Amino acid sequence: MIEIKGLTKTYGVGNKTINALNGIDLRINSGMFGLLGPNGAGKTTFMRILAGIVNPSSGFVKINGFDLTTESGKHQIKSMLGYLPQELGMYTELTAIQFVDYMAILKGIDDSRKRNQRVHEVLEMVGLAKESNRKIKGFSGGMKRRVGIAQALVNNPKLLIVDEPTAGLDPEERIRFRNLLVNLATDRVVLLSTHIVEDIGQTCRDLAILAKGQILFRGSPTELTKAAENHVWTLTMQGMEKPNHDLTVVSMLHLAEGTQYRLVGSNAKDYANAQPAQPGLEDGYVWLMKQSNQMVEMI
Amino acid sequence: MKHFSLKYTLLTYRLDQLWFPIAFWMLFVIVILIINEPSQSTDMSLAYLGTAVPLIGGVMAAYAILDDPALELRFATPIRAAQIIIERTLMIFFIQAVCAFSFYIFAKSIDVDFSSIGTVLDLHLSWVIPTITLIALGTFGSIVGAQTMIGAFFVGIVWIIQIIIRDGMAINNWKYFYIFMGITNPEHPDLHANQIALLALSLIFFLCSWILLHRQERYI
């Protein structure tokens, strides 16, 4: 279980101070937890703090009872951590099996027989058993990601942190990856950070939206979807006409009778032919982000 | 040792950086063979051991820790900062030691005279201590500046300044921090104090590097 209270992180850039995280309070239980947010929202900083790589400026983080703000607590947490960073750097001259084996050693698995067995197990789990003796430099992006998840799993972590894991993967790889994460979440905390709404909808029962360093929403995908109820519309327009700026275009489709827009906004009364639509998860996300941006503009 | 594998430490080392010590080694060997003159061979050999080996060690150390493609993954494991520093700098020292000893064997095989430096131990201390010092400086420079280039720059600046003002360095109050005293002034009365001071300075650099390396966010 992860307990976070008043977590802040500030960076100094020149004379400016940037608040990457601004008073985060969260409690995360076992299972899959999604962290959603636009680029630059502070997701990676948040993930790196939980991985013990970045020190918080203030606040309190406890993972399975260990305090992340102390050196000994951090050491304990890293021993039970599996981490897949957004920008995955690897020793590409090593084979997949060597790389995962090395990471297992760094994580403290000293018994070579047990380690060897576990390395084979995780490579099998990610579908790389047959390719395990090939050098990583010859792997595709998806295969490298799979090696990344194998190294994250090799110490059988209690906490698995994956930051934008599906970026750059083809649809088949993404589905495979999502399913793998869901399977892993049965007996541990899996923290999935992404800006791809669909990935969260397909995998998480619990999620948070992070925007401008603050938690904007905390709840289930169903609750997020509900947030956009009565704020989603479809509208068909002809010629060069476009919806006004109060409405956010979620998607558009060119049809014979004109362009069909899917819109999110407080109302579309100005348009007689606007039809209310059933919201989806993405609509809920767009609606909340829209609300948040309007609040910032008002301030 | 927990969290350590010599095999993978060697396998993950940036082999493309090995051209640097090998190129210098070959350059000095070729020049000595071409010159083929006893006193100049001695000067060239001492220049290699006492100045080139430490310089190469320092520059390589500047790249040893932060120039790691899997640095973020490594930081997420429970290995200690001290282990990262020891593992990587020992590797650099080992490479330099192999170069220095093989060069020494080559020099002895062509009868280069090292008697001006003193005993065999004195000769080897004259490259070991400057090499440790510049490795420590390169490591500290790159970590304090959070950039490999800064470490290499520190090493280069200290090396070139001390080479230029070497005569002055040996006689003023900076003599304890004169890196090349073992080679240029082997009979200096303060040589041992100088060697102890350089080792102490190296230790301080390593300690500062260790403290700074705990702030992992500076390096990713």
mmCIF file of all heavy atoms in Angstrom, chain A residues 184-217:
data_model
loop_
_atom_site.group_PDB
_atom_site.id
_atom_site.type_symbol
_atom_site.label_atom_id
_atom_site.label_comp_id
_atom_site.label_asym_id
_atom_site.label_seq_id
_atom_site.Cartn_x
_atom_site.Cartn_y
_atom_site.Cartn_z
ATOM 1 N N LEU A 184 -0.360 -9.100 -13.775
ATOM 2 C CA LEU A 184 0.603 -8.879 -12.697
ATOM 3 C C LEU A 184 -0.020 -8.179 -11.501
ATOM 4 O O LEU A 184 0.467 -8.288 -10.377
ATOM 5 C CB LEU A 184 1.767 -8.019 -13.215
ATOM 6 C CG LEU A 184 2.676 -8.680 -14.233
ATOM 7 C CD1 LEU A 184 3.575 -7.653 -14.887
ATOM 8 C CD2 LEU A 184 3.509 -9.759 -13.558
ATOM 9 N N ALA A 185 -1.091 -7.444 -11.762
ATOM 10 C CA ALA A 185 -1.675 -6.609 -10.698
ATOM 11 C C ALA A 185 -2.504 -7.401 -9.696
ATOM 12 O O ALA A 185 -3.024 -6.827 -8.750
ATOM 13 C CB ALA A 185 -2.519 -5.506 -11.322
ATOM 14 N N THR A 186 -2.589 -8.697 -9.878
ATOM 15 C CA THR A 186 -3.430 -9.477 -8.966
ATOM 16 C C THR A 186 -2.873 -9.512 -7.539
ATOM 17 O O THR A 186 -3.620 -9.558 -6.584
ATOM 18 C CB THR A 186 -3.602 -10.930 -9.470
ATOM 19 O OG1 THR A 186 -2.303 -11.439 -9.723
ATOM 20 C CG2 THR A 186 -4.458 -10.989 -10.719
ATOM 21 N N ASP A 187 -1.557 -9.474 -7.408
ATOM 22 C CA ASP A 187 -0.993 -9.605 -6.061
ATOM 23 C C ASP A 187 0.054 -8.536 -5.749
ATOM 24 O O ASP A 187 0.984 -8.772 -4.991
ATOM 25 C CB ASP A 187 -0.385 -10.998 -5.888
ATOM 26 C CG ASP A 187 0.649 -11.313 -6.946
ATOM 27 O OD1 ASP A 187 0.789 -10.504 -7.890
ATOM 28 O OD2 ASP A 187 1.315 -12.344 -6.829
ATOM 29 N N ARG A 188 -0.070 -7.381 -6.381
ATOM 30 C CA ARG A 188 0.888 -6.294 -6.088
ATOM 31 C C ARG A 188 0.284 -4.963 -6.521
ATOM 32 O O ARG A 188 -0.760 -4.937 -7.178
ATOM 33 C CB ARG A 188 2.219 -6.550 -6.797
ATOM 34 C CG ARG A 188 2.161 -6.357 -8.288
ATOM 35 C CD ARG A 188 3.368 -6.932 -8.989
ATOM 36 N NE ARG A 188 3.170 -8.353 -9.268
ATOM 37 C CZ ARG A 188 4.135 -9.268 -9.249
ATOM 38 N NH1 ARG A 188 5.355 -8.926 -8.949
ATOM 39 N NH2 ARG A 188 3.858 -10.531 -9.520
ATOM 40 N N VAL A 189 0.970 -3.884 -6.188
ATOM 41 C CA VAL A 189 0.539 -2.565 -6.673
ATOM 42 C C VAL A 189 1.219 -2.349 -8.028
ATOM 43 O O VAL A 189 2.441 -2.474 -8.139
ATOM 44 C CB VAL A 189 0.976 -1.435 -5.711
ATOM 45 C CG1 VAL A 189 0.500 -0.077 -6.241
ATOM 46 C CG2 VAL A 189 0.439 -1.666 -4.316
ATOM 47 N N VAL A 190 0.416 -2.079 -9.038
ATOM 48 C CA VAL A 190 0.985 -1.715 -10.342
ATOM 49 C C VAL A 190 0.547 -0.287 -10.638
ATOM 50 O O VAL A 190 -0.640 0.006 -10.716
ATOM 51 C CB VAL A 190 0.530 -2.662 -11.467
ATOM 52 C CG1 VAL A 190 1.097 -2.205 -12.808
ATOM 53 C CG2 VAL A 190 0.960 -4.091 -11.194
ATOM 54 N N LEU A 191 1.526 0.587 -10.760
ATOM 55 C CA LEU A 191 1.241 1.999 -11.049
ATOM 56 C C LEU A 191 1.530 2.264 -12.515
ATOM 57 O O LEU A 191 2.668 2.149 -12.961
ATOM 58 C CB LEU A 191 2.176 2.863 -10.220
ATOM 59 C CG LEU A 191 1.617 3.545 -9.004
ATOM 60 C CD1 LEU A 191 2.729 4.219 -8.241
ATOM 61 C CD2 LEU A 191 0.591 4.561 -9.396
ATOM 62 N N LEU A 192 0.491 2.598 -13.232
ATOM 63 C CA LEU A 192 0.648 2.831 -14.673
ATOM 64 C C LEU A 192 0.446 4.308 -14.957
ATOM 65 O O LEU A 192 -0.624 4.857 -14.704
ATOM 66 C CB LEU A 192 -0.395 1.988 -15.426
ATOM 67 C CG LEU A 192 -0.651 2.320 -16.892
ATOM 68 C CD1 LEU A 192 0.563 1.991 -17.740
ATOM 69 C CD2 LEU A 192 -1.858 1.537 -17.421
ATOM 70 N N SER A 193 1.473 4.925 -15.471
ATOM 71 C CA SER A 193 1.354 6.340 -15.828
ATOM 72 C C SER A 193 1.275 6.451 -17.343
ATOM 73 O O SER A 193 2.047 5.814 -18.061
ATOM 74 C CB SER A 193 2.601 7.075 -15.324
ATOM 75 O OG SER A 193 2.793 8.255 -16.047
ATOM 76 N N THR A 194 0.336 7.234 -17.822
ATOM 77 C CA THR A 194 0.190 7.351 -19.271
ATOM 78 C C THR A 194 -0.583 8.612 -19.635
ATOM 79 O O THR A 194 -1.228 9.224 -18.779
ATOM 80 C CB THR A 194 -0.536 6.110 -19.849
ATOM 81 O OG1 THR A 194 -0.578 6.219 -21.257
ATOM 82 C CG2 THR A 194 -1.940 5.963 -19.302
ATOM 83 N N HIS A 195 -0.498 9.023 -20.875
ATOM 84 C CA HIS A 195 -1.400 10.076 -21.338
ATOM 85 C C HIS A 195 -2.390 9.476 -22.331
ATOM 86 O O HIS A 195 -3.176 10.177 -22.926
ATOM 87 C CB HIS A 195 -0.622 11.254 -21.946
ATOM 88 C CG HIS A 195 0.189 10.883 -23.142
ATOM 89 N ND1 HIS A 195 1.468 10.390 -23.035
ATOM 90 C CD2 HIS A 195 -0.103 10.911 -24.440
ATOM 91 C CE1 HIS A 195 1.928 10.139 -24.247
ATOM 92 N NE2 HIS A 195 0.995 10.445 -25.122
ATOM 93 N N ILE A 196 -2.334 8.128 -22.482
ATOM 94 C CA ILE A 196 -3.260 7.447 -23.389
ATOM 95 C C ILE A 196 -4.455 6.951 -22.559
ATOM 96 O O ILE A 196 -4.332 5.999 -21.789
ATOM 97 C CB ILE A 196 -2.551 6.293 -24.134
ATOM 98 C CG1 ILE A 196 -1.340 6.836 -24.889
ATOM 99 C CG2 ILE A 196 -3.521 5.586 -25.078
ATOM 100 C CD1 ILE A 196 -0.426 5.786 -25.456
ATOM 101 N N VAL A 197 -5.597 7.633 -22.734
ATOM 102 C CA VAL A 197 -6.784 7.362 -21.912
ATOM 103 C C VAL A 197 -7.231 5.912 -22.072
ATOM 104 O O VAL A 197 -7.593 5.248 -21.094
ATOM 105 C CB VAL A 197 -7.916 8.337 -22.311
ATOM 106 C CG1 VAL A 197 -9.148 8.114 -21.460
ATOM 107 C CG2 VAL A 197 -7.445 9.779 -22.182
ATOM 108 N N GLU A 198 -7.162 5.412 -23.276
ATOM 109 C CA GLU A 198 -7.639 4.052 -23.565
ATOM 110 C C GLU A 198 -6.895 3.001 -22.729
ATOM 111 O O GLU A 198 -7.507 2.038 -22.252
ATOM 112 C CB GLU A 198 -7.428 3.786 -25.051
ATOM 113 C CG GLU A 198 -8.151 2.573 -25.576
ATOM 114 C CD GLU A 198 -7.674 2.199 -26.969
ATOM 115 O OE1 GLU A 198 -7.006 3.033 -27.606
ATOM 116 O OE2 GLU A 198 -7.948 1.068 -27.394
ATOM 117 N N ASP A 199 -5.610 3.205 -22.546
ATOM 118 C CA ASP A 199 -4.815 2.244 -21.761
ATOM 119 C C ASP A 199 -5.337 2.128 -20.340
ATOM 120 O O ASP A 199 -5.378 1.044 -19.755
ATOM 121 C CB ASP A 199 -3.340 2.675 -21.705
ATOM 122 C CG ASP A 199 -2.605 2.367 -22.998
ATOM 123 O OD1 ASP A 199 -3.188 1.655 -23.842
ATOM 124 O OD2 ASP A 199 -1.474 2.845 -23.162
ATOM 125 N N ILE A 200 -5.748 3.260 -19.771
ATOM 126 C CA ILE A 200 -6.263 3.260 -18.396
ATOM 127 C C ILE A 200 -7.640 2.588 -18.358
ATOM 128 O O ILE A 200 -7.910 1.753 -17.490
ATOM 129 C CB ILE A 200 -6.389 4.722 -17.876
ATOM 130 C CG1 ILE A 200 -5.028 5.397 -17.840
ATOM 131 C CG2 ILE A 200 -7.118 4.767 -16.535
ATOM 132 C CD1 ILE A 200 -4.216 5.201 -16.599
ATOM 133 N N GLY A 201 -8.492 2.961 -19.314
ATOM 134 C CA GLY A 201 -9.856 2.425 -19.351
ATOM 135 C C GLY A 201 -9.886 0.915 -19.441
ATOM 136 O O GLY A 201 -10.761 0.254 -18.872
ATOM 137 N N GLN A 202 -8.914 0.361 -20.150
ATOM 138 C CA GLN A 202 -8.892 -1.079 -20.372
ATOM 139 C C GLN A 202 -8.282 -1.859 -19.202
ATOM 140 O O GLN A 202 -8.370 -3.071 -19.162
ATOM 141 C CB GLN A 202 -8.078 -1.412 -21.628
ATOM 142 C CG GLN A 202 -8.576 -0.771 -22.912
ATOM 143 C CD GLN A 202 -9.864 -1.398 -23.397
ATOM 144 O OE1 GLN A 202 -10.114 -2.574 -23.146
ATOM 145 N NE2 GLN A 202 -10.689 -0.628 -24.085
ATOM 146 N N THR A 203 -7.600 -1.159 -18.303
ATOM 147 C CA THR A 203 -6.830 -1.908 -17.310
ATOM 148 C C THR A 203 -7.110 -1.562 -15.846
ATOM 149 O O THR A 203 -6.919 -2.421 -14.989
ATOM 150 C CB THR A 203 -5.308 -1.684 -17.534
ATOM 151 O OG1 THR A 203 -5.063 -0.274 -17.544
ATOM 152 C CG2 THR A 203 -4.817 -2.276 -18.829
ATOM 153 N N CYS A 204 -7.508 -0.316 -15.564
ATOM 154 C CA CYS A 204 -7.529 0.129 -14.158
ATOM 155 C C CYS A 204 -8.934 0.251 -13.583
ATOM 156 O O CYS A 204 -9.847 0.710 -14.258
ATOM 157 C CB CYS A 204 -6.844 1.485 -14.039
ATOM 158 S SG CYS A 204 -5.177 1.486 -14.638
ATOM 159 N N ARG A 205 -9.071 -0.109 -12.326
ATOM 160 C CA ARG A 205 -10.331 0.115 -11.615
ATOM 161 C C ARG A 205 -10.259 1.429 -10.854
ATOM 162 O O ARG A 205 -11.249 1.971 -10.410
ATOM 163 C CB ARG A 205 -10.574 -1.029 -10.623
ATOM 164 C CG ARG A 205 -11.142 -2.274 -11.271
ATOM 165 C CD ARG A 205 -11.319 -3.333 -10.228
ATOM 166 N NE ARG A 205 -10.053 -3.600 -9.538
ATOM 167 C CZ ARG A 205 -9.938 -4.185 -8.353
ATOM 168 N NH1 ARG A 205 -11.005 -4.554 -7.696
ATOM 169 N NH2 ARG A 205 -8.770 -4.415 -7.807
ATOM 170 N N ASP A 206 -9.072 1.895 -10.677
ATOM 171 C CA ASP A 206 -8.846 3.078 -9.863
ATOM 172 C C ASP A 206 -7.855 3.971 -10.602
ATOM 173 O O ASP A 206 -6.856 3.473 -11.140
ATOM 174 C CB ASP A 206 -8.237 2.606 -8.535
ATOM 175 C CG ASP A 206 -8.392 3.629 -7.440
ATOM 176 O OD1 ASP A 206 -9.051 4.657 -7.667
ATOM 177 O OD2 ASP A 206 -7.839 3.395 -6.348
ATOM 178 N N LEU A 207 -8.132 5.270 -10.627
ATOM 179 C CA LEU A 207 -7.217 6.154 -11.340
ATOM 180 C C LEU A 207 -7.211 7.547 -10.747
ATOM 181 O O LEU A 207 -8.122 7.930 -10.004
ATOM 182 C CB LEU A 207 -7.578 6.215 -12.824
ATOM 183 C CG LEU A 207 -8.855 6.932 -13.236
ATOM 184 C CD1 LEU A 207 -8.547 8.338 -13.733
ATOM 185 C CD2 LEU A 207 -9.561 6.157 -14.330
ATOM 186 N N ALA A 208 -6.180 8.289 -11.108
ATOM 187 C CA ALA A 208 -6.108 9.700 -10.726
ATOM 188 C C ALA A 208 -5.678 10.489 -11.947
ATOM 189 O O ALA A 208 -4.943 9.974 -12.798
ATOM 190 C CB ALA A 208 -5.107 9.895 -9.598
ATOM 191 N N ILE A 209 -6.171 11.720 -12.029
ATOM 192 C CA ILE A 209 -5.713 12.603 -13.105
ATOM 193 C C ILE A 209 -4.840 13.676 -12.476
ATOM 194 O O ILE A 209 -5.235 14.332 -11.514
ATOM 195 C CB ILE A 209 -6.895 13.236 -13.867
ATOM 196 C CG1 ILE A 209 -7.693 12.154 -14.594
ATOM 197 C CG2 ILE A 209 -6.389 14.270 -14.867
ATOM 198 C CD1 ILE A 209 -8.906 12.671 -15.338
ATOM 199 N N LEU A 210 -3.651 13.784 -13.042
ATOM 200 C CA LEU A 210 -2.693 14.767 -12.551
ATOM 201 C C LEU A 210 -2.588 15.877 -13.594
ATOM 202 O O LEU A 210 -2.349 15.601 -14.776
ATOM 203 C CB LEU A 210 -1.336 14.077 -12.360
ATOM 204 C CG LEU A 210 -0.237 14.825 -11.636
ATOM 205 C CD1 LEU A 210 -0.615 15.096 -10.192
ATOM 206 C CD2 LEU A 210 1.050 14.008 -11.665
ATOM 207 N N ALA A 211 -2.786 17.101 -13.160
ATOM 208 C CA ALA A 211 -2.626 18.232 -14.083
ATOM 209 C C ALA A 211 -1.985 19.386 -13.341
ATOM 210 O O ALA A 211 -2.401 19.707 -12.226
ATOM 211 C CB ALA A 211 -3.983 18.648 -14.646
ATOM 212 N N LYS A 212 -0.985 19.944 -13.940
ATOM 213 C CA LYS A 212 -0.235 21.077 -13.352
ATOM 214 C C LYS A 212 0.203 20.765 -11.915
ATOM 215 O O LYS A 212 0.110 21.604 -11.010
ATOM 216 C CB LYS A 212 -1.070 22.350 -13.400
ATOM 217 C CG LYS A 212 -1.412 22.762 -14.830
ATOM 218 C CD LYS A 212 -2.162 24.061 -14.887
ATOM 219 C CE LYS A 212 -2.465 24.431 -16.311
ATOM 220 N NZ LYS A 212 -3.655 23.780 -16.856
ATOM 221 N N GLY A 213 0.610 19.538 -11.705
ATOM 222 C CA GLY A 213 1.162 19.147 -10.404
ATOM 223 C C GLY A 213 0.139 18.891 -9.313
ATOM 224 O O GLY A 213 0.496 18.721 -8.155
ATOM 225 N N GLN A 214 -1.148 18.855 -9.676
ATOM 226 C CA GLN A 214 -2.180 18.622 -8.668
ATOM 227 C C GLN A 214 -3.111 17.493 -9.097
ATOM 228 O O GLN A 214 -3.291 17.264 -10.297
ATOM 229 C CB GLN A 214 -3.005 19.882 -8.455
ATOM 230 C CG GLN A 214 -2.229 20.967 -7.734
ATOM 231 C CD GLN A 214 -3.051 22.208 -7.531
ATOM 232 O OE1 GLN A 214 -3.688 22.690 -8.454
ATOM 233 N NE2 GLN A 214 -3.024 22.735 -6.310
ATOM 234 N N ILE A 215 -3.696 16.820 -8.119
ATOM 235 C CA ILE A 215 -4.659 15.772 -8.440
ATOM 236 C C ILE A 215 -6.000 16.441 -8.758
ATOM 237 O O ILE A 215 -6.607 17.102 -7.925
ATOM 238 C CB ILE A 215 -4.840 14.788 -7.258
ATOM 239 C CG1 ILE A 215 -3.523 14.071 -6.948
ATOM 240 C CG2 ILE A 215 -5.953 13.773 -7.548
ATOM 241 C CD1 ILE A 215 -3.042 13.086 -7.969
ATOM 242 N N LEU A 216 -6.419 16.224 -9.995
ATOM 243 C CA LEU A 216 -7.641 16.860 -10.484
ATOM 244 C C LEU A 216 -8.841 15.952 -10.252
ATOM 245 O O LEU A 216 -9.973 16.413 -10.093
ATOM 246 C CB LEU A 216 -7.440 17.100 -11.984
ATOM 247 C CG LEU A 216 -8.323 18.076 -12.698
ATOM 248 C CD1 LEU A 216 -8.108 19.463 -12.139
ATOM 249 C CD2 LEU A 216 -7.971 18.063 -14.181
ATOM 250 N N PHE A 217 -8.574 14.658 -10.260
ATOM 251 C CA PHE A 217 -9.659 13.688 -10.136
ATOM 252 C C PHE A 217 -9.109 12.424 -9.509
ATOM 253 O O PHE A 217 -7.981 12.025 -9.781
ATOM 254 C CB PHE A 217 -10.228 13.384 -11.530
ATOM 255 C CG PHE A 217 -11.210 12.243 -11.554
ATOM 256 C CD1 PHE A 217 -12.555 12.456 -11.317
ATOM 257 C CD2 PHE A 217 -10.778 10.939 -11.816
ATOM 258 C CE1 PHE A 217 -13.452 11.394 -11.331
ATOM 259 C CE2 PHE A 217 -11.665 9.877 -11.830
ATOM 260 C CZ PHE A 217 -13.006 10.111 -11.593
#
